[in-house]
Amino acid sequence: MTLTGRAALVAFVGVVVVLLAPLGGNTVVIVLAMLTFGVLADLVLAASPRAIAIARGGDTSTRVGEAAEVFVTLHNPTTRTARGWVRDAWPPSAGAGPRTQRIALAPGAQHRVRTTLQPTRRGERRAAEVTLRLTGPLGLAARQRSRRCEWSVFVLPPFSS
């Protein structure tokens, strides 16, 4: 479970409400209960990152300084919309970008997340984990899971001539 920036904003608004209308301390309990209920509702209604099917594909070789494109295919078999972020992690020498990408997968939908690699060293570059952070409909909290999905790109020396 992770809390989003929206949860912090709602908590700040709650502090302002408590300062403007203290009501003998009852406002604190009401605001805290509302925020807790919102976070719990978001966690219950968010799609499960474990249920999302993940597959990799793309280039298997490139040269130092040349770009290679790899992708992660996400499939949502659940009945809930999966909205949030995906991070396709690679070693720093792979020069992967973008770091994170926003997703919104309808029930039964499939989406391909593309990552461009600009390797700076030769040799085999193995993909690290794919991290899914899926938020609930209120955007207050998210469920997160990192999963292994094997893929490698073999980087050859530059061919300048």
Side-chain angles (χ1 to χ4, degrees):
M1 177 192 97
T2 61
L3 295 176
T4 64
R6 190 176 290 182
L9 181 63
V10 170
F12 178 74
V13 170
V15 168
V16 172
V17 169
V18 167
L19 291 175
L20 293 178
L23 298 176
N26 291 334
T27 310
V28 173
V29 174
I30 293 169
V31 168
L32 182 60
M34 290 176 57
L35 182 59
T36 303
F37 177 75
V39 167
L40 290 176
D42 242 12
L43 288 175
V44 169
L45 296 174
S48 173
R50 290 181 185 189
I52 305 298
I54 300 174
R56 283 194 182 273
D59 295 337
T60 56
S61 67
T62 188
R63 295 193 175 274
V64 172
E66 293 180 7
E69 189 173 274
V70 294
F71 55 85
V72 175
T73 303
L74 305 169
H75 175 67
N76 182 9
T78 68
T79 58
R80 297 179 180 166
T81 299
R83 50 179 85 73
W85 297 269
V86 63
R87 179 176 182 256
D88 184 11
W90 287 81
S93 63
R99 188 170 170 84
T100 60
Q101 297 181 44
R102 194 110 166 96
I103 59 166
L105 278 171
Q110 199 168 336
H111 180 69
R112 187 175 277 185
V113 176
R114 297 186 190 285
T115 302
T116 303
L117 304 178
Q118 288 279 55
T120 56
R121 291 178 27 201
R122 63 185 181 158
E124 187 177 25
R125 298 289 159 256
R126 292 183 182 268
E129 297 177 329
V130 175
T131 302
L132 292 170
R133 181 179 288 180
L134 304 178
T135 61
L138 300 175
L140 298 175
R143 298 168 74 178
Q144 180 172 313
R145 174 74 50 195
S146 295
R147 298 180 23 210
R148 296 284 302 162
C149 192
E150 299 295 328
W151 193 262
S152 63
V153 175
F154 195 76
V155 183
L156 302 167
F159 188 66
S160 305
S161 60

